[in-house]
Amino acid sequence: MHKSERLFQLVNVLKGRRLAMTAQQLAAHFCVSERTIYRDIQHLQCSGVPIEGEAGIGYLIADHALPPMMFNVEELSALLLGSKMVGAWTDPTLSEHARSAMAKIEAVLPDHLKQSQDSSPYLVSSFSHNEKQQQLNKQCREAIESNQCLQLSYCDVNHTATQRQVEPLGLVYWGGKWTLVAFCLLRLDYREFRIDRIQSAHTLDVYFEPHSEKSLSHYVALVTAKYANCSNNK
C-alpha cells in the first residue's frame, strides 16, 4: 500500500472509534512497523487532522472532528467515474455540479491514483449529447421534480409527428439515448419518449400527484414482470 493511501485509510480506521487504537494494533492492521505508524500519525497531525492520543496509550479521532462520511480509495474511484458520466450525459446544471464534485474527489485522491485515472479503461464519451438534448433533459428533470405536466411535440420512429400532454415520472439512460418515462394523458397509460425525438417541450402550469400505481418504480416493476414472463414462456 502506498503511503498516501495508507494515510487515507488510517484516518478512516481511527475516525469515530469509542476506544483508542494503539500503534501496535494499527501496525498489525496495516502490516507495517510501529515506527511507521508513529511517523504517519505525526504527519497527519501536522497536516491538521485532529488525532487525539499519544504513544503508549492509543489514538482516535472524535466523531465531531471530521465530516460524517468518508470513502475508501475504490469508492472514490467509482464516484469519480460516476461524476464523469453525469458531467457528460445529463443536463448543464447537473454537469456543473458533477465537475465541482470531481474537483473535490480528485483533491483527496492519492497521487498514484490520479496518475492511474489517465490510463483508465473507461472512456466517457459525450459525442451524441448535443446542447438541445441537454436542455430538454434539464427541462424534463425539473418538471419531474416539481410534478408538472409537459406538452410535447414528438416525432416517433415512423417520423409521425404527434402532440402529447404527459405527466413526467423519470428519465432512463439506455447506454446512448435518454428516455422520458411518463404517463400519457392521451393514451391513459405509461409511454416512453426518446429525448432525441422530442421536437419541443413546454412546461405547463398543471400539477399532478404521483402515487403507488403511477410512478417510475411502478413502471419498472411492470416492465420487469413483462420480460420475466417472456423469458419463462420460451
Side-chain angles (χ1 to χ4, degrees), residues 40-69:
D40 286 350
I41 293 293
Q42 185 178 27
H43 179 89
L44 289 170
Q45 288 174 328
C46 291
S47 299
V49 179
I51 297 177
E52 301 174 358
E54 58 185 83
I57 297 176
Y59 304 95
L60 56 77
I61 300 176
D63 282 338
H64 59 80
L66 289 177
M69 186 175 295

